[in-house]
Amino acid sequence: MKKYLLLFFFVMMGVSFYAQQPKTYQNPVIPGFYPDPSTIRVGTDYYTINSTFQYFPALAISHSKDLVNWEQVSYVFNDENPIDLTHFYDGCGLWAPDISYYNGEFYVFYCLVQLKKDRSVNVRGNYVTKSKSIHGPWSKPVQLTDYGSDPSHFVDDNGEHYMLFAAGIPIGNGTRIVKLDRECTKVVEGPFWMETDGKKAAPEGPHLMKKDGYYYFMMAASAGAYNGHHQLLARSKNVYGPYEMYPSNPFVAQFDETAINKHQGHGKMVQTQNGDWYITLITQRRNETMKEKSYTKRGFSQLGRETSLYPVKWSNDGWPEVCSSSGLSDIQPFPRLPYTPLKTLQSDDFSSAKLGIQWLNVRNPIYEERSLTERKGWLRLYTGNFTLDEIQARNILVQRETSKHYTATVKLEFYPQSVEQAGLLCYYDTKSYISLSLRKDGDDGLKLVLEEQRGCEKVKKVAAETKEISSSLVYLRVNVNNLCREFFYSYDGKLWNSAGKIENAYYLSDEGTPEWGFTGTMVGVYALNYGTGVRIPADFDEFIMEEAL
């Protein structure tokens, strides 16, 4: 009898599982500022790494069981394994990482990019670091080239290691390939140009994979068509080529102008344990308003470049297929994988001894200027000796916006003495942001100031001011609805008063900043003193993110 009861139990569990399994999913699968995805499978686990540019901790790694639901689990560079990003300009820093797994070890290839002071030339270089665990520790990085970007790792059937990378300055556009030693510590052969139909291949996000005797060379391009970004494909029987182009290139492109997700490119394929194939790609959800602005014709993508997933089918002639001439659907069939809902936390009551993985510093923090222990259950930031316009602005803690419709709320206690300020921040970079801050008003009073820095317009102004604030403990809130942002304050977290409204914060977007808009809009908290040297604490609690339905 017990045997039959157990059988019935397991049958019902299976029925329950399949009842919960969604039939479809909607892109993006990793929303918000998660660009340049590189995805691998290790057993039944999937890992994706994404660029972080000037933010720290750096090079975000997320984990999934079903390729649709993802949770960020680690960084390559963190407090225990730091990298100095303090002098990197907006949009510079760590670009286009690639993650791979070989012989029990994880490899991460990445590039460092920095502009010179006159902004005329950028300096690049490609590096590799390794770890036995996805959580680290990671080995000391080895520099493999002193130029180029977007490196990727390929291991052939015979165990030979190769690196592809975008050549760029000073060599010229195109993809190069080099052979590495078995430890991936130096170049032992090459570089050679990756050529397709006798021409240098497109220069972005190159990847190489092998299937059924063919080397498949994938590369991103962004010139002219297909909403700016698209993916090209070529194949060869020899690792160095020559490569023949996919007859129906572009291999991936968004032809559907009505689709939510556009700008597809920088993709890498992965095979599931069931034998199915998928590709993760960059996509953007652009808001199509204000097209008349001279600096954009494609709308505004305030969430930045995100990670999307598309199924891949292989044709009888050995070519993979992702899209048709009608474009790419935003909704796709759910993979034949066990539905495992995972999600990166966003809200935080600051009760832990360490900051949550969702938090990012704008460049490296000054550790003495923040604390989670001085006032237990609160995040304490001391007023930093800077303004928000400077790359040395260090007392800023933000996280990714992941929806176009959400509310962020935080409790603040702050006693400004003169010009110091602290508060809630919607941040793209040093040239594009909105702050709602508590400040001193005259000799004794307090006020809230809503200030905006309009990137491409190069305009900084006070959008609203609320005087006669009666308490140094206030709740601050922003409601985001596409490009519209409404700000509120409260003394008890229940009754809310308006602190101002910005109808169209288009400048908080990739297209709204004057240069190198590669990241995405963030939301968080900050404290500063405008360079006066006054060091006083701003205490934050109950940071709550709520996505609007």
Side-chain angles (χ1 to χ4, degrees), residues 506-520:
Y506 56 88
Y507 45 88
L508 296 180
S509 68
D510 290 1
E511 299 79 14
T513 193
E515 64 181 15
W516 287 37
F518 298 145
T519 54

Side-chain angles (χ1 to χ4, degrees), residues 36-152:
D36 308 327
S38 169
T39 303
I40 59 167
R41 177 176 64 87
V42 180
T44 60
D45 295 289
Y46 296 86
Y47 299 100
T48 291
I49 193 168
N50 296 95
S51 299
T52 48
F53 296 86
Q54 71 270 25
Y55 288 94
F56 182 89
L59 300 184
I61 299 176
S62 301
H63 167 253
S64 177
K65 283 286 190 179
D66 58 21
L67 283 171
V68 173
N69 296 286
W70 293 86
E71 179 185 20
Q72 191 179 328
V73 293
S74 64
Y75 293 98
V76 173
F77 298 104
N78 53 25
D79 294 345
E80 291 75 35
N81 181 35
I83 186 171
D84 186 4
L85 298 169
T86 53
H87 300 288
F88 282 81
Y89 293 109
D90 295 335
C92 296
L94 289 153
W95 281 20
D98 177 55
I99 190 168
S100 54
Y101 184 78
Y102 178 73
N103 201 23
E105 199 160 25
F106 291 95
Y107 293 71
V108 168
F109 285 66
Y110 66 91
C111 65
L112 270 174
V113 179
Q114 173 68 313
L115 288 172
K116 290 189 175 180
K117 286 186 177 180
D118 62 5
R119 307 292 177 102
S120 61
V121 177
N122 59 76
V123 181
R124 308 186 181 195
N126 293 311
Y127 299 76
V128 63
T129 180
K130 297 184 284 186
S131 175
K132 297 286 186 181
S133 167
I134 199 68
H135 301 284
W138 294 86
S139 65
K140 182 179 179 180
V142 174
Q143 185 170 3
L144 296 169
T145 69
D146 59 1
Y147 70 98
S149 61
D150 296 25
S152 67

Side-chain angles (χ1 to χ4, degrees), residues 98 163 168 191 194 208 310-311 324 360 363 381 419-420 433 490:
D98 177 55
M163 179 179 73
M194 296 287 283
L208 194 64
Y310 296 95
S324 65
L360 288 165
R363 302 173 181 85
L381 294 180
V419 297
E420 307 85 35
Y433 59 81
S490 171

Side-chain angles (χ1 to χ4, degrees), residues 150-201:
D150 296 25
S152 67
H153 182 213
F154 170 70
V155 185
D156 210 341
D157 298 337
N158 58 6
E160 300 287 357
H161 294 254
Y162 298 85
M163 179 179 73
L164 280 71
F165 62 98
I169 296 170
I171 306 301
N173 285 341
T175 298
R176 285 195 148 185
I177 184 171
V178 294
K179 186 177 180 180
L180 306 174
D181 66 355
R182 292 294 177 114
E183 297 301 315
C184 292
T185 59
K186 61 182 179 181
V187 174
V188 296
E189 191 171 275
F192 305 108
W193 288 108
M194 296 287 283
E195 294 187 353
T196 54
D197 297 339
K199 300 176 182 178
K200 295 176 186 177

